[in-house]
Amino acid sequence: MNAKSVIQPAWLRLTHWVNAIAVVLMAMSGWRIYNASPIYPLVFPAEITLGGWLAGALYWHFFAMWILCVNGVAYLLANGLTGRLWQRFFPLRWNELKADLWAAMRGRLSHADLARYNAPQKGAYLFAMADIALLIVSGLVLWKSVQFPLLRELLGGYDMARKVHFYAMWGLVGFVAVHGLMVLLVPRSMLLMIRGR
Amino acid sequence: MTEKKRIQTLDEQVIVREALQALPEPSRRLFLRHGLTLGGLSLLTGCSLSDDASVGNMLQKVSRFNDKVQAWLFDPNRLAPTYPDSMITRPFPFNAYYGPERIPHVAADDFRLELSGLIADRRPWSLTELYQLPQTSQVTRHICVEGWSAIGKWGGVTFSTFLKRIGADLTAKYVGFRCADDYYTSIDMPTALHAQTQLSFTWDGQVLPPEYGYPMKLRMPTKLGYKNPKHIRAIFVTNTYPGGYWEDQGYNWFGGS
């Protein structure tokens, strides 16, 4: 592997970190908004929420949503137009996914070539993309349920959209937890996402 | 931190609100900004208080930008979903910035709805006169900014019918409301003219009970709950931004749904 070659281009590193900040802001403010009227017995500790009270949390949420959306669209456009999306993430084969996951469990999954995603990586990153898209769509229904009737009905109405938004949040929190753990296990990947190689 | 943790239930919000009213304007604004950002920023970056004020400023600007986006997204011809009577939420939740013990009880006899601002015929209206206007009914979902929602049935006069009757300037920007419980708010003219925006006198076929806003509320299924004023005693039309009770404390002004 050529050490000089850039594996993660600048636009990708930039959109990755902007997205990371937006996701943290959205999650922390979202937990505060959820706390105003919890749909389950679960309540988030105030210490890990953002905004101080409902109006403050809404300020942050409806500020960070622009970052999340604009950055997400920029990422998908650049990813699609450069062809990276197809090269890096496809094909994603079920057999490979199973074999790689099994290897990962036994600590035998190779990370010799960081330029190539293994099947669980492909799956996890595609999941993150789809889950953020679902968060945005369900969030749009919660924000403007009257103005987006088609999306509202697709998600099963306003109350169902709240649940979809909530579970999609947990999906992303789960992804971030696994993603963070993997970075700890393969610290080179952190360097890669900072300097590109 | 302790101050913010206390602003969690409605009663405590009332206490803080009253305390704020006793403060001069600049300290109120400062409190608002610090309250909005202190916890989050100290967690995230440990910024100083002076930075907090500028972040609060930025967030307020984005909120005003979001007002414009919502005005643009608002389709005057798009109706909110309606429901069968069987889906009405019972009991329908009472919600206000105060507890049930402070619900105002307005006397019907000497009540007069006051009109002011850009309105041709500003004579006050008695309840009897208002009840004689053409009445409509709707079963729609009330969505609270907190996230919960409830389906209710409201009856009254389509607000655009009333605005036209009194000769309101329909090209003005805002319609403002002052209420018997000292609540106040304001809405944009396109929403005021929406087919489902209703000056409501009944709930579920009964005279509007005090807890739901007797003698009248403005019902808008296209806006969040805090934009739907109860106990309305005065209506005005203006081009000067009138703000609102919660809006002045940080809730988004447009509050569309």
Side-chain angles (χ1 to χ4, degrees):
Chain A
M1 191 179 86
N2 182 359
K4 291 277 182 220
S5 66
V6 171
I7 294 170
Q8 304 289 26
W11 65 262
L12 180 110
R13 285 173 276 145
L14 183 70
T15 50
H16 170 270
W17 289 112
V18 170
N19 187 63
I21 293 167
V23 164
V24 168
L25 292 177
M26 289 303 275
M28 290 174 67
S29 56
W31 296 336
R32 187 90 206 186
I33 298 167
Y34 167 92
N35 279 359
S37 178
I39 43 179
Y40 298 108
L42 171 93
V43 171
F44 296 94
E47 289 75 15
I48 60 164
T49 66
L50 178 62
W53 68 305
L54 178 57
L58 289 164
Y59 263 6
W60 279 107
H61 211 66
F62 292 134
F63 157 71
M65 73 172 182
W66 291 113
I67 304 177
L68 186 77
C69 291
V70 172
N71 184 68
V73 167
Y75 165 80
L76 285 179
L77 275 180
N79 222 354
L81 293 177
T82 58
R84 185 183 174 279
L85 186 65
W86 319 113
Q87 289 157 15
R88 283 295 187 99
F89 295 97
F90 296 98
L92 174 58
R93 292 194 182 88
W94 180 240
N95 283 340
E96 275 176 41
L97 192 64
K98 274 197 299 188
D100 283 359
L101 273 177
W102 178 237
M105 297 289 186
R106 292 174 300 159
R108 286 188 194 161
L109 191 58
S110 165
H111 291 278
D113 183 2
L114 290 178
R116 290 189 52 188
Y117 291 151
N118 56 50
Q121 273 182 300
K122 290 179 186 175
Y125 300 154
L126 286 171
F127 168 80
M129 289 179 217
D131 194 56
I132 290 176
L134 183 61
L135 276 163
I136 291 173
V137 168
S138 55
L140 213 48
V141 170
L142 294 181
W143 189 44
K144 292 283 155 283
S145 71
V146 175
Q147 306 306 326
F148 297 108
L150 181 66
L151 292 180
R152 182 188 69 229
E153 295 313 313
L154 277 175
L155 292 185
Y158 173 81
D159 279 337
M160 200 58 189
R162 284 186 83 192
K163 290 182 178 164
V164 170
H165 202 61
F166 183 75
Y167 287 114
M169 177 276 294
W170 279 120
L172 197 59
V173 168
F175 167 80
V176 170
V178 174
H179 191 48
L181 184 68
M182 292 301 139
V183 171
L184 286 179
L185 291 174
V186 190
R188 275 185 304 140
S189 58
M190 177 62 110
L191 269 180
L192 186 67
M193 195 44 86
I194 293 169
R195 55 174 200 182
R197 54 194 165 75
Chain B
M1 287 302 278
T2 50
E3 272 178 314
K4 282 186 277 71
K5 277 180 196 158
R6 289 181 52 206
I7 317 179
Q8 279 176 350
T9 67
L10 283 177
D11 276 353
E12 283 162 355
Q13 282 176 2
V14 177
I15 296 165
V16 171
R17 168 79 184 167
E18 280 168 357
L20 285 178
Q21 279 169 343
L23 293 171
E25 264 307 310
S27 357
R28 273 178 74 178
R29 221 169 289 135
L30 227 60
F31 175 88
L32 178 69
R33 286 176 192 169
H34 291 174
L36 288 170
T37 59
L38 192 71
L41 275 186
S42 59
L43 271 170
L44 280 174
T45 58
C47 280
S48 68
L49 284 179
S50 59
D51 290 336
D52 276 349
S54 62
V55 170
N57 236 339
M58 181 272 297
L59 292 172
Q60 278 176 333
K61 284 197 179 117
V62 174
S63 189
R64 294 317 299 264
F65 170 72
N66 288 340
D67 284 340
K68 290 186 187 140
V69 174
Q70 291 173 87
W72 176 76
L73 276 175
F74 177 79
D75 179 346
N77 299 314
R78 178 158 284 145
L79 297 180
T82 55
Y83 303 88
D85 283 15
S86 59
M87 285 181 73
I88 294 173
T89 307
R90 300 176 194 280
F92 191 84
F94 159 76
N95 197 46
Y97 70 93
Y98 43 79
E101 72 289 344
R102 274 187 54 192
I103 295 170
H105 290 265
V106 179
D109 295 345
D110 48 355
F111 180 86
R112 293 291 180 276
L113 177 68
E114 289 165 29
L115 303 176
S116 61
L118 305 171
I119 294 172
D121 180 3
R122 286 182 225 138
R123 103 195 135 76
W125 286 64
S126 73
L127 288 176
T128 320
E129 290 170 308
L130 287 166
Y131 293 161
Q132 280 161 6
L133 291 166
Q135 306 286 304
T136 59
S137 168
Q138 61 170 278
V139 181
T140 49
R141 184 184 294 273
H142 169 110
I143 297 176
C144 180
V145 65
E146 294 173 346
W148 58 267
S149 68
I151 295 171
K153 182 179 187 175
W154 289 272
V157 60
T158 303
F159 196 48
S160 66
T161 306
F162 181 68
L163 287 177
K164 284 168 194 157
R165 181 70 70 92
I166 60 178
D169 178 358
L170 303 182
T171 65
K173 280 187 185 164
Y174 309 105
V175 182
F177 303 87
R178 280 190 285 266
C179 307
D181 55 359
D182 293 330
Y183 194 77
Y184 61 101
T185 188
S186 56
I187 59 168
D188 54 300
M189 187 58 82
T191 301
L193 299 175
H194 187 267
Q196 288 173 311
T197 297
Q198 181 194 73
L199 193 58
S200 313
F201 311 114
T202 69
W203 193 85
D204 194 21
Q206 311 290 317
V207 173
L208 201 63
E211 65 266 37
Y212 302 152
Y214 184 84
M216 75 194 78
K217 75 171 277 167
L218 193 76
R219 173 64 197 139
M220 290 171 284
T222 56
K223 281 200 192 292
L224 296 173
Y226 66 90
K227 298 301 298 182
N228 292 234
K230 300 188 288 187
H231 312 289
I232 298 169
R233 58 172 182 78
I235 297 175
F236 59 98
V237 176
T238 177
N239 281 313
T240 313
Y241 175 73
Y245 176 91
W246 285 116
E247 294 88 330
D248 292 352
Q249 297 177 66
Y251 281 11
N252 175 263
W253 177 76
F254 195 91
S257 172

